[in-house]
Structure formats: C-alpha cells, structure tokens
Amino acid sequence: GDSVTQMEGPVTLSEEAFLTINCTYTATGYPSLFWYVQYPGEGLQLLLKATKADDKGSNKGFEATYRKETTSFHLEKGSVQVSDSAVYFCALRNAGSARQLTFGSGTQLTVLP
Amino acid sequence: NAGVTQTPKFQVLKTGQSMTLQCAQDMNHNSMYWYRQDPGMGLRLIYYSASEGTTDKGEVPNGYNVSRLNKREFSLRLESAAPSQTSVYFCASSEVGEQYFGPGTRLTVT
C-alpha cells in the first residue's frame, strides 16, 4: 500500500536558519503530494502541494519539488521565523483512493529567537 | 464561513462508556473524513464518506461507527470506549482539492 516516510524530529533551529524536512513516499501510479502544517492546539492546514512530477509547490517562503526519480518531496525554507514553529506533515493522495490522504508521522519544528 | 467545526473540544470517558463526536462543514463538500492522531504516528483514517448516504472503512475502523446524517454532518460514535481510543480526533472535508480540517477533539479514556 501507499506510505510516507518523514525525517524524525524534533528539529530545533535558530531564527533565520535554513530548514529542510525530508519526505519520501511509496505509491503506485502518480500521486499528488502535500505538506500540511499544524500549529499548537489547531487542526491541519494545507501549506503547499504538487500534483505531478517536477512541479514545485510554494507558499509563505516554503518550497517543495515533486521528484519522481527519487520519490521525494522535501520541504525547504531559506530563513525560518519563530512563527514557523509547528508540526509539519507530508502526505500523498493517490488517484485511485477516493481522495483519501496518507500521512507521514509528522516533524516537530521549534525555532528559537 | 465557519469551515469545519467539531464538538466537543475535550472529553474524558471511563472505559465502557459511549459517546458521539460531532462534525459539520459549511463548504458544501461531498467528502468527509474522520482521523485519529497519535504521537509519532501521524494521522490515520478511521472512516470516510465520499458522498451523502455512503460510508467506508479506513485504516483503523475497529471500535467506531459513523453516520453521514446529511451533506453537512458526519458523526463518529464510540459504543464502548477503551483506553486505546485515547487520541485526538480530526474531522475533515473536501471536494476535488485539498482537505479542510476541524480543530480536533481531544479524548481521554480512563
């Protein structure tokens, strides 16, 4: 079945540091890929997405590129802020799965001032 | 628009008690979902409803039942709660694109 593997956290960075959170996936066919963010005490919000190979999703300074050859969708940001502290989830949706999402285990990011 | 709303926000149950978690969305979405979130395990799908009148099991359906009451509302019932059902429960809805999540219900079963 489909699966998503994320780098384990927690990740602690200083403000303005570069962020990478690794995500790799296993799926049949051509899934869509997503990054969701969960701020403390809240539900998940879509951060960015990519629907086909070589697409780059971007939002709020975050970017991720859909790499079919390495089955990866790593999240990056050039300069993190304290307000980016949250849990980040990588997810995929396969076309044949009734629009269900398969999530990674989440990565806790803490940014220190 | 309120988006996806869930009630209650917090609940403590004793083993064997029953309860229903309520979810409603005002975005006219066809599909609705129930997930549970446990530490280190991401979100796992319990049940989903692709459209009004249909429901299907997800990855972890045992111990739960659902009702798609109408297009807006999708409830999750625990008939006989167990400590293993201690978790945070999220409802979500979608149309053809992203899923929109509610704020969650934190359930503790003692």
Side-chain angles (χ1 to χ4, degrees), chain A residues 44-75:
Chain A
L44 280 70
Q45 303 171 27
L46 180 66
L47 181 59
L48 53 84
K49 66 180 180 183
T51 58
K52 61 183 188 297
D54 299 325
D55 268 1
K56 178 186 282 189
S58 61
N59 186 24
K60 300 182 182 180
F62 291 90
E63 293 182 341
T65 300
Y66 188 150
R67 301 283 187 206
K68 194 168 190 323
E69 63 276 14
T70 55
T71 61
S72 65
F73 193 54
H74 304 320
L75 183 68

Side-chain angles (χ1 to χ4, degrees), chain A:
Chain A
D2 298 340
S3 66
V4 176
T5 303
Q6 282 181 242
M7 67 183 283
E8 292 195 13
V11 174
T12 302
L13 296 173
S14 297
E15 207 164 23
E16 298 183 5
F18 185 86
L19 169 71
T20 299
I21 300 177
N22 289 339
C23 171
T24 57
Y25 67 90
T26 301
T28 56
Y30 302 94
S32 296
L33 302 174
F34 304 83
W35 276 101
Y36 279 82
V37 58
Q38 183 181 32
Y39 298 104
E42 298 184 11
L44 280 70
Q45 303 171 27
L46 180 66
L47 181 59
L48 53 84
K49 66 180 180 183
T51 58
K52 61 183 188 297
D54 299 325
D55 268 1
K56 178 186 282 189
S58 61
N59 186 24
K60 300 182 182 180
F62 291 90
E63 293 182 341
T65 300
Y66 188 150
R67 301 283 187 206
K68 194 168 190 323
E69 63 276 14
T70 55
T71 61
S72 65
F73 193 54
H74 304 320
L75 183 68
E76 296 182 336
K77 187 175 186 183
S79 176
V80 293
Q81 306 301 311
V82 172
S83 57
D84 294 326
S85 297
V87 182
Y88 293 82
F89 291 92
C90 186
L92 71 82
R93 183 182 69 221
N94 219 325
S97 62
R99 296 190 285 274
Q100 297 173 47
L101 289 171
T102 300
F103 286 89
S105 57
T107 302
Q108 171 79 54
L109 169 67
T110 301
V111 180
L112 302 175

Side-chain angles (χ1 to χ4, degrees), chain A residues 38 89 104-106, chain B residues 35-44 46 60 64 83-90 106-107:
Chain A
Q38 183 181 32
F89 291 92
S105 57
Chain B
Y35 294 90
R36 59 177 289 172
Q37 182 182 28
D38 301 296
M41 300 189 74
L43 276 74
R44 293 181 293 168
I46 305 171
V60 289
Y64 305 95
S84 60
Q85 294 178 304
T86 293
S87 188
V88 182
Y89 291 85
F90 288 100
R106 186 173 294 275
L107 174 68

